[in-house]
Amino acid sequence: MNTATDKAGFVKLIEENKGIILKICGSYCNNPSDREDLAQEIIYQLWKSGKNFNPDYKFSTWMYRVALNVAISYYRKEKKGPQLTPVEELHIDIIEDTTVDNEKERNLQLLQQFIAELKQLDKALILLWFEDKSYKEIADIMGITETNVATRINRVKQQLKNKFEVHKTSE
C-alpha cells in the first residue's frame, strides 16, 4: 500500500469499519488515552499487514482478526488487571425499555464485571458473539475451528450463568 490510491482506499475501509476498532478498544481498555493508543496501534498494524489481506475473505473478518490480536498483545504487554468498561462503551446495542428496573441495571453491571474477568480469548469470543457473528465468522476471525468456537462459547455462557447463580445465592 504505497500509492495514494491505496492510502485513500485504506482510509475508506477504516472509516467504513471503524466500529470494529471502537468496540475492541472499548472492551480492552478502560482509560480513554489507552483506547486511543490501542486504536492507533490497530490501524498501524492493519496498514503494515495490508499486503497479507486475502481479498477472497471479507475485509471486516480480517480486520477483526488483526484488531483482536493487537488488542490481546497490547493487553498482555501492559499487564493490566481486569477492567470494568461501561456496557455503553462496548457499543453493544441494548434496547432501551422505559420500565428498566434496578434489577435489570444490576444484572447488566454484573454481566459487564463478569465479562471483564474472562480470559482474553474468551472475552474476544463473547464480544464477537454479542455482535451476532456466526460461528463460522468467529472461527475465521479467531483462527480456530467452528467446533472449538461453539464449545468455547457454550463454556463461557455457562461460566457467566454460574457466576450469576453464585452471586444471587450470596445476596
Side-chain angles (χ1 to χ4, degrees), residues 18-84:
K18 69 182 175 185
I20 293 170
I21 296 172
L22 294 174
K23 290 171 192 167
I24 290 172
C25 291
S27 295
Y28 284 85
C29 297
N30 195 29
N31 182 306
S33 65
D34 289 343
R35 284 193 298 263
E36 282 182 33
D37 291 346
L38 180 56
Q40 288 178 1
E41 183 64 22
I42 288 169
I43 292 170
Y44 171 72
Q45 292 300 328
L46 287 165
W47 174 259
K48 190 172 139 183
S49 60
K51 63 187 176 292
N52 297 328
F53 172 64
N54 182 347
D56 294 338
Y57 297 99
K58 289 174 34 178
F59 179 78
S60 61
T61 299
W62 177 75
M63 185 178 190
Y64 258 118
R65 188 170 196 172
V66 171
L68 283 169
N69 285 333
V70 170
I72 290 169
S73 295
Y74 180 87
Y75 186 86
R76 285 181 183 152
K77 185 171 67 174
E78 295 298 317
K79 295 184 179 173
K80 295 181 179 179
Q83 300 176 6
L84 298 180

Side-chain angles (χ1 to χ4, degrees), residues 60-161:
S60 61
T61 299
W62 177 75
M63 185 178 190
Y64 258 118
R65 188 170 196 172
V66 171
L68 283 169
N69 285 333
V70 170
I72 290 169
S73 295
Y74 180 87
Y75 186 86
R76 285 181 183 152
K77 185 171 67 174
E78 295 298 317
K79 295 184 179 173
K80 295 181 179 179
Q83 300 176 6
L84 298 180
T85 303
V87 173
E88 299 81 34
E89 291 184 29
L90 289 175
H91 301 282
I92 299 171
D93 294 329
I94 299 173
I95 299 171
E96 288 195 29
D97 182 355
T98 55
T99 63
V100 173
D101 60 359
N102 288 336
E103 184 178 349
K104 286 182 183 179
E105 194 63 36
R106 280 193 308 270
N107 285 340
L108 284 175
Q109 289 172 350
L110 283 173
L111 179 61
Q112 168 191 350
Q113 176 185 339
F114 297 154
I115 290 172
E117 294 169 356
L118 292 172
K119 294 177 186 173
Q120 296 310 308
L121 178 62
D122 293 340
K123 187 188 293 188
L125 285 167
I126 207 71
L127 171 70
L128 293 169
W129 183 75
F130 276 135
E131 287 288 312
D132 290 327
K133 298 289 182 195
S134 70
Y135 286 176
K136 177 163 181 18
E137 288 175 299
I138 295 171
D140 289 344
I141 291 166
M142 300 299 296
I144 58 179
T145 66
E146 284 183 66
T147 304
N148 197 349
V149 168
T151 301
R152 292 184 81 98
I153 286 177
N154 284 330
R155 286 181 184 160
V156 170
K157 289 183 341 188
Q158 187 61 47
Q159 281 178 341
L160 293 172
K161 181 181 174 185

